[in-house]
């Protein structure tokens, strides 16, 4: 499968008098193959939006190499811009313009037939509200309008930064269906999102970024399999005694008030057998499969210290210190 | 071309532009209606009386000049020596006057187009200068601030082309509107002069002079439009241009002028943009320099002049520098 997006060693540092030097992206790599629906995950301030902005020529990279649809970006981006639809971080529109006029002006500027405007308004469910001023739109409607603007070009590649922002559950489902139908039509989709369950449902591939670096990438099931601890949830009458028995049988187990979690289980019948031999009968035996959220939290360290208030992009600041002192690598880089 | 067409539609659809157009029409309407209400077509008797008054006025000027010459030659009759005359009689020589009294000077309550067209045109130019600066600043400032430019760059990832198209469209739009407004404005007052006033002496010299003022005014409108656009681009916001203009007026035109007067700087007005604007519009402005003759022993002229050529060079240079800076900064800027 040919690569539609290739990023290698992308680096970007922001310098400001007030905030000093901040490394936003630090040698990041990303590959998106043709026809993929690719999830791009990372905590706030991890470098997702900076990466997408650099890819789309809105931010000047300090280093690295990027390619979009075979054209080096940003130098030759204009050659393929007509085939790339994108929204970056909830775009704002003039409140005084109607949704229709907003899209019409973009279509005019991009040389797209104006007839496409009605089609994309229909596609995102705004057809009946297209004649209303944008300032009357809800956040979700503005998001739909943004997606409509990205779809105007009938793109081969769709880059969406947080497309589900502000959408209600029904809207999220519609967006998911839209992404799927686009993917079925052969459109490659790169979605950056915080809604991990949605990414798991929509995407077939995923890349996770933390502190400006890639910490995981691949097919979703492969990434999840890499974190499968072969754990099972077991419900029995006496969890603590059961845990001791399983330990003695060579299976690490952690007892909880009403259940226990057993790890390194290759054959779940071993659990039933060990406990049954001692008169403890298993009421429930459920495999614990990792989901994207748990993998994400583990990789990015976001869930490590729930009692400590988490700081946005604190990882990136840590990185600066490490670079300045030359000591060690960040956790993200090691993963 | 498609980009320019889209930008032109966007420019016309902007609420601020529409508001400024309404203000222009309102100002136009108020000026025209008050002129119309305060004017009447002169009767034959009024015209004859005005012509007589003008002739009498010219005759008096001739008389004063002649008596001044007589005094110099010692030919004044007894008792007339106490009358005041300038030392240099050429100052009252009617031939050397910029203009002689004409009948229209003595038409009371009559709008005379030939006499008032120029000042009316200056008012229009002043409004269009303000319009150009504000629209130029808000057109790019609001787009940069709202993410409109980012949206556009996602479609046309060529920054210089996008910014150039915006500036070109803006200048074309402002020029087109200025021409339309000028024609409508002057035509309206010409009709008022014909129907409810007096047209005056509208010869080739009059139209040439009026055309010259109009042309210079349009250049000034375009320059201030570029200035507003460039300042807002550099500052990423409409208010950056407005703030810079306000700061310049207060800090430099008022504050620095005061300081220069205190420290007796020679010819302080030449450092002020307003002086150059005046020189460009009128062709030449003269200033009085109180410090000029402090050490002079012989004849010393305290008056100095600014002419349109260096004034245009200053205005063009400033605009070119700021516009170039805006394009260079926009080319490299991170759009976040």
């Amino acid at each position: 499968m040919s690569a539609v997006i290739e990023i290698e060693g992308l680096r970007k540092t922001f310098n400001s008098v007030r905030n000093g030097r901040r490394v936003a992206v630090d040698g990041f790599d990303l590959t998106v193959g043709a026809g993929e629906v690719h999830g791009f995950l990372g905590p706030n301030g991890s470098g997702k939006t900076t990466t997408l902005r650099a890819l789309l020529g809105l931010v000047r990279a300090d280093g690295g190499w990027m390619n979009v649809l075979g054209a080096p970006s940003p130098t030759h981006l204009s050659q393929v811009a007509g085939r790339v639809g994108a929204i970056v971080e909830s775009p704002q529109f003039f409140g005084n313009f109607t949704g229709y006029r907003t899209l019409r002006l973009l279509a005019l500027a991009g040389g797209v037939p104006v007839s496409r405007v009605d089609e994309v308004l229909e596609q995102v469910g705004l057809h009946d509200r297209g004649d209303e001023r944008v300032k009357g739109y809800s956040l979700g409607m503005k998001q739909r309008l943004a997606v409509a603007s990205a779809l105007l070009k009938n793109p081969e590649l769709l880059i969406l930064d947080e497309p589900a922002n502000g959408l209600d559950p029904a809207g999220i489902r519609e967006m998911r269906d839209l992404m799927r139908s686009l993917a079925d039509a052969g459109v490659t989709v790169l979605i950056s999102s915080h809604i991990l369950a949605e990414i798991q449902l929509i995407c077939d591939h995923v890349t996770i970024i933390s502190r400006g670096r890639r910490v995981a990438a691949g097919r979703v099931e492969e990434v999840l399999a890499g974190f499968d601890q072969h754990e099972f949830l077991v419900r029995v009458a006496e969890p603590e005694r059961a845990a001791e028995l399983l330990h003695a049988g060579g299976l690490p187990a952690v007892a909880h008030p009403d259940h226990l979690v057993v790890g390194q289980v290759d054959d779940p019948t071993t659990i039933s057998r060990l406990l049954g031999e001692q008169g403890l009968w298993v009421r429930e035996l459920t495999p614990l499969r990792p989901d994207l959220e748990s993998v994400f939290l583990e990789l990015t360290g976001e869930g490590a210290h729930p009692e400590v208030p988490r700081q946005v992009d604190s990882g990136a600041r840590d990185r600066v210190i490490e670079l300045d002192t030359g000591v060690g690598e960040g956790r993200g880089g090691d993963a | 071309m498609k980009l320019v067409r889209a930008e032109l539609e966007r420019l016309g659809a902007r609420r601020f532009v529409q508001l400024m157009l309404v203000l222009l029409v309102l100002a136009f309407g108020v000026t025209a209606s008050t002129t119309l209400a305060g004017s009447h077509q002169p009767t034959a008797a009024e015209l004859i009386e005005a012509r007589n008054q003008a002739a009498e006025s010219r005759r008096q000027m001739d008389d004063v000049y002649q008596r001044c010459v007589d005094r110099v030659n010692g030919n004044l009759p007894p008792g007339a020596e106490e009358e005041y005359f300038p030392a240099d009689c050429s100052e009252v020589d009617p031939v050397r006057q910029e203009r002689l009294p004409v009948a229209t000077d003595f038409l009371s309550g009559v709008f005379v187009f030939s006499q008032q067209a120029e000042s009316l045109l200056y008012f229009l130019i002043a409004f269009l200068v303000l319009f150009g600066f504000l629209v130029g600043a808000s057109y790019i400032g609001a787009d940069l601030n709202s993410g409109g430019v980012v949206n556009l760059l996602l479609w046309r990832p060529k920054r210089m082309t996008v910014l150039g198209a915006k500036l070109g469209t803006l200048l074309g739009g402002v020029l087109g509107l200025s021409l339309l407004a000028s024609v409508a404005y002057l035509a309206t007052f010409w009709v008022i002069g014909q129907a409810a006033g007096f047209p005056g002496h509208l010869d080739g010299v009059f139209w040439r002079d009026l055309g010259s003022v109009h042309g210079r005014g349009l250049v000034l409108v375009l320059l201030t439009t570029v200035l507003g656009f460039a300042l807002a681009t550099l500052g990423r916001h409409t208010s950056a241009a407005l703030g810079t203009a306000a700061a310049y007026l207060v800090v430099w035109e008022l504050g620095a002028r005061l300081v220069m007067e205190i420290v007796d700087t020679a010819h302080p007005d030449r450092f002020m943009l307003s002086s150059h604007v005046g020189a460009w519009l009128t062709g030449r402005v003269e200033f009085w320099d109180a410090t000029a003759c402090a050490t002079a022993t012989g004849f010393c002229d305290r008056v100095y002049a600014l002419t349109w050529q260096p004034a245009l060079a200053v205005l063009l240079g400033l605009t070119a520098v700021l516009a170039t800076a805006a394009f260079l900064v926009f080319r490299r800027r991170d759009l976040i």
Side-chain angles (χ1 to χ4, degrees):
Chain A
M1 187 181 289
S2 61
V4 169
I5 295 175
E6 293 170 279
I7 298 177
E8 280 182 25
L10 178 67
R11 291 179 190 280
K12 177 63 187 176
T13 302
F14 290 106
N15 295 301
S16 92
V17 176
R18 195 172 4 169
N19 300 321
R21 182 168 170 265
R22 186 174 67 82
V23 178
V25 183
D26 186 13
F28 178 70
D29 302 325
L30 171 72
T31 304
V32 178
E36 286 181 9
V37 180
H38 198 111
F40 186 25
L41 305 178
N44 288 339
S46 60
K48 294 191 303 294
T49 299
T50 301
T51 300
L52 295 183
R53 284 183 184 272
L55 185 67
L56 294 166
L58 301 174
V59 160
R60 291 172 67 88
D62 296 326
W65 175 85
M66 295 177 288
N67 216 336
V68 180
L69 291 168
S73 179
T75 51
H76 293 74
L77 189 60
S78 58
Q79 293 173 359
V80 294
R83 295 152 59 196
V84 181
I87 58 169
V88 186
E89 259 195 341
S90 299
Q92 302 294 308
F93 300 103
F94 280 118
N96 189 39
F97 289 6
T98 64
Y100 181 87
R101 171 170 251 166
T102 301
L103 297 181
R104 183 175 178 279
L105 288 174
L106 284 174
L108 273 177
V112 172
V114 175
S115 58
R116 272 290 291 164
V117 174
D118 280 321
E119 291 172 23
V120 294
L121 282 172
E122 182 75 50
Q123 220 170 344
V124 300
L126 276 180
H127 192 263
D128 295 339
R129 310 288 295 270
D131 289 334
E132 292 178 20
R133 288 183 178 173
V134 173
K135 66 182 175 187
Y137 282 11
S138 66
L139 180 60
M141 288 167 70
K142 285 178 184 165
Q143 202 63 23
R144 286 168 191 255
L145 184 64
V147 174
S149 73
L151 292 173
L152 261 182
K153 287 185 262 189
N154 222 345
E156 291 172 37
L157 169 63
L158 196 56
I159 298 173
L160 303 174
D161 192 9
E162 304 287 355
N165 257 5
L167 294 179
D168 55 21
I172 290 174
R173 171 179 280 190
E174 287 166 19
M175 195 60 72
R176 185 200 312 156
D177 294 342
L178 177 62
M179 295 303 118
R180 266 285 146 228
S181 66
L182 289 169
D184 291 343
V187 178
T188 304
V189 185
L190 174 64
I191 307 174
S192 141
S193 179
H194 287 114
I195 305 176
L196 302 175
E198 277 307 309
I199 290 288
Q200 194 165 348
L201 282 171
I202 298 173
C203 299
D204 42 48
H205 287 73
V206 66
T207 294
I208 301 178
I209 183 174
S210 178
R211 295 163 191 174
R213 287 192 167 190
R214 184 172 78 180
V215 292
R219 295 191 66 82
V220 172
E221 58 268 29
E222 288 170 1
V223 170
L224 295 178
F227 288 82
D228 192 346
Q229 303 292 315
H230 301 283
E231 289 178 329
F232 278 76
L233 182 147
V234 181
R235 291 191 195 279
V236 289
E238 300 172 59
E240 289 196 5
R241 184 172 159 237
E244 288 172 10
L245 289 170
L246 291 170
H247 263 299
L251 293 176
V254 177
H256 296 273
D258 63 340
H259 70 278
L260 65 156
V261 175
V262 187
Q264 299 176 11
V265 180
D266 292 326
D267 180 7
T269 60
T270 310
I271 297 173
S272 314
R273 183 175 53 76
L274 285 171
L275 296 179
E277 284 171 358
Q278 300 301 320
L280 286 173
W281 307 112
V282 174
R283 294 203 302 267
E284 181 184 338
L285 187 62
T286 307
L288 293 177
R289 299 283 182 231
D291 59 10
L292 210 44
E293 182 173 290
S294 57
V295 170
F296 175 85
L297 293 175
E298 183 165 339
L299 281 172
T300 61
E302 294 292 293
H305 305 289
E307 69 281 5
V308 179
R310 188 174 64 84
Q311 303 300 309
V312 172
D313 84 350
S314 57
R317 289 178 188 280
D318 293 342
R319 168 72 56 195
V320 175
I321 295 165
E322 288 167 5
L323 284 174
D324 287 343
T325 56
V327 178
E329 290 287 320
R331 277 179 298 173
D334 293 333
Chain B
M1 203 58 215
K2 289 168 184 165
L3 184 57
V4 170
R5 196 177 145 208
E7 285 302 309
L8 200 57
E9 186 173 334
R10 181 193 293 266
L11 179 64
R14 294 286 311 281
R15 178 65 67 87
F16 184 74
V17 174
Q18 293 169 352
L19 177 69
M20 289 299 288
L21 284 175
V22 169
L23 284 177
L24 174 63
V25 171
L26 270 179
F28 181 17
V30 167
T31 315
S33 57
T34 51
T35 302
L36 193 59
S39 177
H40 68 277
Q41 207 160 24
T43 62
E46 281 180 307
L47 282 173
I48 290 168
E49 175 63 21
R51 283 187 191 116
N52 290 339
Q53 285 182 337
E56 174 61 19
S57 181
R58 287 194 296 270
R59 194 193 58 73
Q60 284 177 358
M61 289 174 75
D62 284 338
D63 188 43
V64 167
Y65 175 66
Q66 190 54 54
R67 281 193 287 164
C68 181
V69 172
D70 287 347
R71 190 204 60 178
V72 171
N73 296 334
N75 297 332
L76 270 186
E81 281 109 350
E82 291 177 9
E83 200 174 341
Y84 169 76
F85 293 104
D88 180 6
C89 290
S90 66
E91 289 181 22
V92 292
D93 184 356
V95 179
R96 291 172 180 261
Q97 299 308 303
E98 198 172 318
R99 65 187 287 276
L100 291 173
V102 292
T104 50
D105 294 341
F106 300 92
L107 284 173
S108 177
V110 176
F111 169 73
V112 181
F113 180 75
S114 63
Q115 282 189 340
Q116 293 174 26
E118 192 172 296
S119 52
L120 284 167
L121 190 57
Y122 277 128
F123 169 71
L124 180 69
I125 288 167
F127 187 94
L128 291 174
V129 162
L130 181 69
F131 177 88
F133 185 82
L134 292 179
V135 169
S138 79
Y139 179 50
I140 187 68
D143 245 11
L144 282 170
N145 196 240
S146 70
V149 168
V150 168
N151 270 355
L152 204 52
L153 286 172
L154 292 176
W155 284 72
R156 302 287 287 259
K158 289 186 171 178
R159 294 191 180 198
M160 294 298 95
T161 305
V162 165
L163 197 66
K166 278 188 170 292
L167 180 57
T169 307
L170 174 71
L171 289 177
V174 169
L175 180 62
L177 175 79
S178 300
L179 285 170
L180 276 176
S182 309
V183 169
Y185 189 75
L186 289 174
T188 301
F189 283 101
W190 181 82
V191 169
I192 291 174
Q194 295 285 346
F198 192 69
H201 189 54
L202 306 178
D203 58 1
V205 175
F206 166 81
W207 290 114
R208 192 192 64 208
D209 289 348
L210 198 68
S212 170
V213 171
H214 185 234
R216 287 165 188 264
L218 287 186
V219 170
L220 189 64
V221 169
L222 294 181
L223 288 178
T224 49
T225 303
V226 176
L227 278 176
F229 184 90
L231 288 172
T233 304
L234 287 168
R236 296 179 187 233
H237 207 286
T238 309
S239 58
L242 305 185
T244 304
Y248 168 76
L249 288 174
V250 173
V251 174
W252 190 251
E253 291 274 348
L254 297 178
R257 186 190 296 271
L258 194 64
V259 170
M260 281 191 263
E261 283 176 6
I262 291 169
V263 300
D264 290 339
T265 305
H267 301 178
D269 291 288
R270 67 187 159 151
F271 299 114
M272 303 295 154
L273 278 179
S274 57
S275 305
H276 294 285
V277 168
W280 165 243
L281 278 180
T282 58
R284 174 188 171 89
V285 283
E286 291 185 344
F287 298 98
W288 172 264
D289 187 356
T291 65
C293 301
T295 57
T297 52
F299 173 75
C300 175
D301 190 358
R302 291 173 186 267
V303 174
Y304 67 99
L306 285 178
T307 56
W308 68 267
Q309 294 94 334
L312 179 61
V314 167
L315 296 175
L316 274 179
L318 175 71
T319 308
V321 166
L322 284 173
T324 305
F327 272 80
L328 290 177
V329 166
F330 184 72
R331 187 181 179 192
R332 298 186 58 84
R333 172 180 287 163
D334 286 337
L335 295 169
I336 49 178

